[in-house]
Amino acid sequence: MSEQIVLQVNGESRTCSSHTPLPLFLEQLGMNPRLVAVEYNGEILHRQFWQQTEIQAGDRLEIVTIVGGG
């Protein structure tokens, strides 16, 4: 059984199971992974690395929803 960990998401404390893959965590937050950009611990995380990125205790995520328009 995975332990619960605490991390920061857009400046707020959140919990999730340890070793949760980033795309699954985004879905748990109710976000469509195809429509967001993620800053992971101060660095923009390119989409090609999302699946292999597991959420760890103390991580800091900034998640921005991509909005179309002009």
Side-chain angles (χ1 to χ4, degrees):
M1 187 104 190
S2 292
E3 65 183 76
Q4 290 291 302
I5 59 170
V6 178
L7 64 149
Q8 293 287 312
V9 178
N10 293 348
E12 297 180 10
S13 291
R14 298 284 185 142
T15 59
C16 74
S17 297
S18 62
H19 306 296
T20 299
L22 178 59
L24 178 60
F25 181 66
L26 293 172
E27 290 176 6
Q28 290 172 353
L29 292 175
M31 298 179 175
N32 182 337
R34 293 187 314 248
L35 299 177
V36 298
V38 177
E39 183 183 279
Y40 182 76
N41 294 328
E43 301 285 334
I44 297 295
L45 185 62
H46 293 281
R47 198 170 298 272
Q48 68 192 33
F49 301 115
W50 285 15
Q51 193 60 45
Q52 66 203 42
T53 301
E54 293 183 344
I55 302 301
Q56 304 292 320
D59 280 349
R60 294 180 336 274
L61 301 179
E62 292 293 329
I63 304 170
V64 179
T65 303
I66 299 168
V67 177

